[in-house]
């Protein structure tokens, strides 16, 4: 940790300005927008644009303050506080998140999702746990760096770090995120290792080599048991991620240079092709889903942007990491390591909070002790943000109106919903959920051709087989029975564990103009005998209707 040598009032003002400049964009993690859909992040991007303008002003004033003075050439332009500001900014955000999580646990605040009691300012406990795990190694580093002197400021720093660490440790186990637990352990272990006394380490190793080997073996055994316990805790979740990675790798083979249509399209096509071969294990059918993310940022980047781009990004991160290690910024590097580990089995880079934190961490490693370079980069970011701000504001306004359109859709006012969706389409046409709602609302309004137009676009942004089911139902209503059959089978191959598309096929084969008794009996038998993931009244109703269809067919 770098000790800040504040000699004058000007230096104090500079530190405060830079701290505000760093905390403003990092504070995006604390921004919630209840007026928007729960899983929508556009409100945070709008905040980031405004915060970055404030950061630019603060950094500019800080540089101007340091340019004027007798000591400018000797000291001022190399004021080593950027990395320290990033460190304390992240810890401050982590403290607020931990406190918010505790309030949710004890019922003093509502979580961001009705299914989970603990989400912090996020929509899901997974990313929330990952953010806390990312802050924990930094707390350990700062604690180990605090001098043993009895100065009041050092005691305050020590107690602040200890209290924040305890708050995080109180909340982190309750998130039930194994990825976050592993990330926290890896980051803290690396920080502890880098702070070891090398001379004493070598002496103790030579003296107690056998004892350390026994201890290491015992720790390894405990780690293996802990890993097995984590798997047993939620086995289907772990198997589901393994299956997602398998399908993503198959999609990467099909698109080695990246897929310009996006992750969901490439993944959906790959999973559909895999299950269509009918050569898969039973557990794969059970754990398969329709994910929006790969739950592995490296595979996701390789699929969307290409293997070459993924390799270049990893090289850039490695260079920054090495520069941070050389400069002794073990806490910053520990946070990066935690983020890299967490990214291996989650999707943090789809949240503004992680993107902003990741950029700040890399800057703190690479240019942390030079004020001029952050100024140049901040100016570039402000120019880029200025070009995006209008688009972000339009999307935020459209998402607010989408909430109203969704109310009309769920209440059954499809005609009014169609008008509302039509007005929002130019802005929200790259959101799978929006396109599905629009297409399904048109389907309910008996506008089948128009419905298919938007649902086919939704296939680019959603892996949900319900999109394919509704397209098939539209074709059935248009008496295009062969196309309907094709899409129902596509839905089956997308997720073979679902019973609904088999039920739709049974209705299709019972159509007088497309009657096929053999196929009808085959799919009806699947509906009646296939074991569902979750038993529900909908399953009972489908089976009851299929029995009626079979009885009617037998009479004829």
């Amino acid at each position: 940790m770098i000790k800040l040598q504040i000699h004058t009032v000007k230096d104090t003002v500079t530190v405060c300005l830079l701290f505000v400049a760093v905390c403003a964009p990092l504070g995006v993690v604390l921004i919630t927008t209840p007026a928007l859909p729960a899983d929508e992040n556009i409100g945070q991007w709008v905040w980031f644009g405004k915060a970055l303008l404030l950061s630019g002003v603060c950094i500019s004033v800080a540089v101007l303050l340091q340019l004027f003075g007798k000591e400018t050439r000797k000291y001022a332009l190399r004021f080593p506080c950027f990395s320290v500001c990033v460190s304390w900014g992240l810890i401050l955000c982590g403290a607020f998140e931990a406190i918010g999580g505790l309030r949710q646990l004890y019922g003093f605040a509502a979580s961001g999702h009705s299914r989970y009691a603990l989400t912090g300012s996020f929509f899901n406990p997974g990313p929330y746990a990952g953010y806390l795990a990312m802050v924990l190694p930094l707390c350990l580093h700062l604690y180990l760096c605090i001098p043993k002197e009895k100065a009041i400021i050092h005691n305050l720093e020590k107690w602040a770090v200890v209290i924040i660490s305890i708050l995080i440790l109180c909340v982190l186990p309750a998130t039930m995120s194994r990825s976050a637990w592993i990330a926290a352990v890896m980051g803290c272990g690396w920080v502890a290792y880098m702070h070891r006394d090398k001379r004493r380490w070598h002496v103790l190793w030579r003296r107690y080599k056998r004892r350390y080997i026994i201890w290491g073996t015992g720790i390894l055994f405990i780690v293996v048991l802990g890993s097995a316990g984590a798997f047993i805790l939620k086995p289907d979740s772990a198997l589901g991620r393994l299956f997602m990675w398998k399908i993503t790798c198959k999609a990467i083979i099909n698109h080695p240079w990246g897929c310009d249509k996006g992750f969901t399209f490439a993944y959906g096509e790959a999973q559909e092709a895999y299950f269509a071969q009918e050569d898969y294990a039973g557990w794969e059918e059970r754990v398969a889903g329709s994910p929006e993310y790969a739950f592995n940022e490296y595979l996701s980047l390789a699929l969307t942007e290409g293997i070459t781009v993924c390799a270049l990004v990893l090289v850039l991160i490695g260079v920054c990491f090495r520069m941070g290690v050389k400069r002794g910024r073990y806490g910053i590097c520990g946070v990066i390591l935690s983020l890299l580990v967490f990214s291996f089995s989650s999707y943090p880079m789809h949240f503004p909070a992680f993107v902003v934190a990741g950029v700040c961490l890399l800057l703190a490693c690479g240019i942390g002790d030079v004020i001029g370079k952050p100024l140049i980069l901040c100016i570039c970011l402000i120019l880029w943000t200025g070009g995006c701000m209008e688009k972000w504001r339009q999307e935020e306004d459209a998402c607010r109106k989408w909430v109203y359109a969704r109310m009309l859709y769920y209440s059954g006012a499809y005609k009014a919903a169609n008008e509302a969706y039509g007005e929002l389409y130019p802005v929200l046409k790259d959101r799978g959920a929006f396109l599905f709602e629009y297409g399904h609302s048109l389907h309910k309004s008996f506008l089948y051709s128009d419905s298919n137009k938007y649902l086919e676009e939704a296939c680019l942004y959603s892996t949900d087989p319900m999109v394919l089911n509704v397209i098939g139902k539209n074709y059935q209503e248009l008496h295009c029975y062969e196309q309907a059959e094709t899409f129902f089978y596509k839905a089956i191959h997308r997720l073979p564990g679902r019973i609904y598309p088999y039920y739709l096929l049974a209705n299709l084969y019972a159509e007088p103009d497309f009657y096929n008794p053999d196929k009808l009996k085959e799919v009806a038998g699947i509906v009646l005998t296939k074991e569902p993931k979750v038993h529900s009244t909908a399953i009972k109703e489908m089976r009851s209707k299929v029995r009626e269809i079979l009885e009617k067919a037998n009479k004829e």
Side-chain angles (χ1 to χ4, degrees):
M1 179 181 178
I2 299 171
K3 296 180 181 179
L4 298 182
Q5 300 175 4
I6 300 176
H7 301 289
T8 63
V9 174
K10 180 178 68 176
D11 293 339
T12 304
V13 174
T14 300
V15 173
C16 293
L17 287 170
L18 288 180
F19 187 69
V20 173
V22 170
C23 287
L26 287 177
V28 71
V29 68
L30 305 174
I31 302 302
T32 57
T33 48
L36 300 179
D39 55 345
E40 184 58 58
N41 296 320
I42 191 63
Q44 292 185 335
W45 283 119
V46 172
W47 163 266
F48 171 71
K50 298 175 181 178
L52 203 58
L53 294 175
L54 175 60
S55 299
V57 172
C58 291
I59 292 178
S60 301
V61 174
V63 172
L64 291 174
L65 283 174
Q66 294 298 315
L67 283 173
F68 297 101
K70 297 179 181 180
E71 74 283 8
T72 296
R73 292 185 180 178
K74 296 181 180 179
Y75 176 71
L77 288 180
R78 298 192 63 81
F79 199 81
C81 64
F82 182 78
S83 60
V84 179
C85 291
V86 170
S87 299
W88 282 103
L90 277 173
I91 287 177
L92 187 62
C93 291
F96 280 113
E97 282 293 330
I99 293 170
L102 286 173
R103 294 182 70 242
Q104 291 175 350
L105 276 177
Y106 288 99
F108 294 106
S111 69
H113 195 294
S114 59
R115 291 178 56 189
Y116 306 105
L118 179 63
T119 61
S121 61
F122 293 86
F123 179 66
N124 190 288
Y128 172 63
Y131 196 89
L132 295 179
M134 190 174 65
V135 176
L136 201 57
L138 196 54
C139 293
L140 177 61
H141 168 73
L142 293 179
Y143 178 82
L144 295 174
C145 287
I146 294 173
K148 295 182 180 180
E149 304 168 6
K150 297 297 182 180
I152 296 177
I153 186 65
H154 295 151
N155 288 330
L156 290 176
E157 290 177 353
K158 181 178 180 179
W159 281 108
V161 170
V162 169
I163 292 172
I164 293 171
S165 300
I166 292 173
L167 290 174
I168 293 175
L169 289 173
C170 287
V171 176
L172 191 58
T175 60
M176 300 298 290
S177 173
R178 296 158 299 178
S179 301
W181 298 346
I182 295 171
V185 170
M186 293 289 288
C188 291
W190 189 86
V191 169
Y193 176 77
M194 296 305 294
H195 278 279
R196 74 193 187 284
D197 187 336
K198 294 183 180 179
R199 292 182 180 178
R200 188 179 178 186
W201 177 272
H202 290 304
V203 171
L204 293 174
W205 172 254
R206 287 195 299 268
R207 184 176 300 178
Y208 304 107
K209 184 176 182 179
R210 182 177 298 178
R211 185 179 299 177
Y212 285 148
I213 291 174
I214 294 173
W215 287 354
T217 305
I219 292 172
L220 179 61
F221 181 71
I222 293 172
V223 169
V224 171
L225 285 179
S227 301
F231 177 81
I232 295 172
L233 184 65
K234 291 189 289 185
D236 281 355
S237 175
L239 291 173
R241 295 192 186 186
L242 289 174
F243 179 74
M244 279 189 282
W245 299 344
K246 177 181 179 178
I247 298 299
T248 305
C249 288
K250 289 182 177 294
I252 291 172
I253 293 173
N254 297 331
H255 304 278
W257 304 106
C259 181
D260 56 353
K261 292 183 179 180
F263 166 78
T264 50
F265 173 81
Y267 183 92
E269 292 292 316
Q271 182 165 300
E272 185 180 322
Y274 178 75
F275 281 124
Q277 296 174 357
E278 298 185 353
D279 182 20
Y280 53 87
W283 67 266
E284 291 179 323
E285 177 182 324
R286 186 180 72 254
V287 302
S290 51
E292 297 180 16
Y293 316 105
F295 282 81
N296 186 309
E297 293 292 355
Y298 311 106
L299 294 179
S300 179
L301 183 62
L303 177 56
T304 55
E305 302 300 331
I307 299 173
T308 304
V309 173
C310 181
L312 291 174
V313 170
L314 290 176
V315 169
L316 175 63
I317 295 173
V319 170
C320 292
F321 189 89
R322 185 178 180 183
M323 293 173 67
V325 172
K326 285 185 175 180
R327 293 175 179 177
R329 291 166 189 165
Y330 304 136
I332 297 291
C333 293
V335 177
I336 294 175
L337 180 61
S338 293
L339 183 56
L340 291 174
V341 172
F342 185 67
S343 298
F344 185 79
S345 55
S346 191
Y347 51 100
M349 291 299 110
H350 290 79
F351 294 89
F354 286 95
V355 175
V356 174
V359 172
C360 288
L361 290 168
L362 295 179
L363 293 181
C365 282
I367 59 170
D369 58 351
V370 183
I371 291 182
K373 291 181 181 179
L375 175 64
I376 296 172
L377 287 171
C378 192
I379 290 173
C380 295
L381 283 171
I382 289 173
L383 293 175
W384 172 75
T385 304
C388 296
M389 273 299 289
E390 184 59 30
K391 178 187 175 185
W392 289 341
R393 286 172 179 167
Q394 289 179 358
E395 289 186 16
E396 183 185 32
D397 183 60
C399 285
R400 293 178 188 275
K401 294 178 180 178
W402 181 14
V403 175
Y404 171 72
R406 181 175 281 177
M407 292 172 59
L408 295 173
Y409 166 73
Y410 283 119
S411 64
Y414 298 116
K415 184 176 181 180
N418 293 337
E419 295 177 359
Y421 283 128
E423 294 176 359
L424 302 176
Y425 171 76
V427 182
L428 302 180
K429 59 184 178 181
D430 59 348
R431 284 168 166 76
F434 170 82
L435 290 171
F436 174 73
E437 290 175 14
Y438 190 10
H440 193 241
S441 180
L442 291 168
H443 167 79
K444 290 291 187 179
S445 302
F446 312 107
L447 302 172
Y448 304 117
S449 297
D450 292 338
S451 173
N452 275 351
K453 172 186 173 183
Y454 297 104
L455 289 173
E456 287 172 4
E457 289 183 27
C459 291
L460 298 176
Y461 307 103
S462 175
T463 59
D464 190 351
M466 273 304 298
V467 178
L468 303 173
N469 287 329
V470 178
I471 293 176
K473 290 169 70 176
N474 286 333
Y475 277 122
Q476 182 175 350
E477 294 294 337
L478 293 169
H479 304 287
C480 300
Y481 300 116
E482 292 182 356
Q483 291 94 326
E485 182 183 29
T486 299
F487 275 94
F488 291 149
Y489 272 109
K490 283 173 69 69
I492 289 172
H493 295 148
R494 185 69 60 89
L495 273 183
R498 299 283 179 88
I499 295 178
Y500 185 58
Y502 290 105
Y503 167 74
L504 294 177
L505 276 173
N507 281 280
L508 178 66
Y509 293 137
E511 286 277 355
D513 296 335
F514 199 67
Y515 182 68
N516 191 318
D518 295 333
K519 289 185 177 181
L520 172 59
K521 290 180 181 179
E522 180 184 354
V523 295
I526 295 174
V527 174
L528 295 174
T529 60
K530 191 176 183 62
E531 186 67 21
K533 272 189 176 183
V534 180
H535 290 275
S536 63
T537 54
I539 300 294
K540 294 179 181 178
E541 290 175 1
M542 284 189 286
R543 288 176 172 174
S544 175
K545 290 180 180 178
V546 164
R547 290 190 186 96
E548 293 177 3
I549 292 174
L550 288 176
E551 290 176 1
K552 184 178 179 181
N554 291 331
K555 289 179 181 179
E556 294 177 356

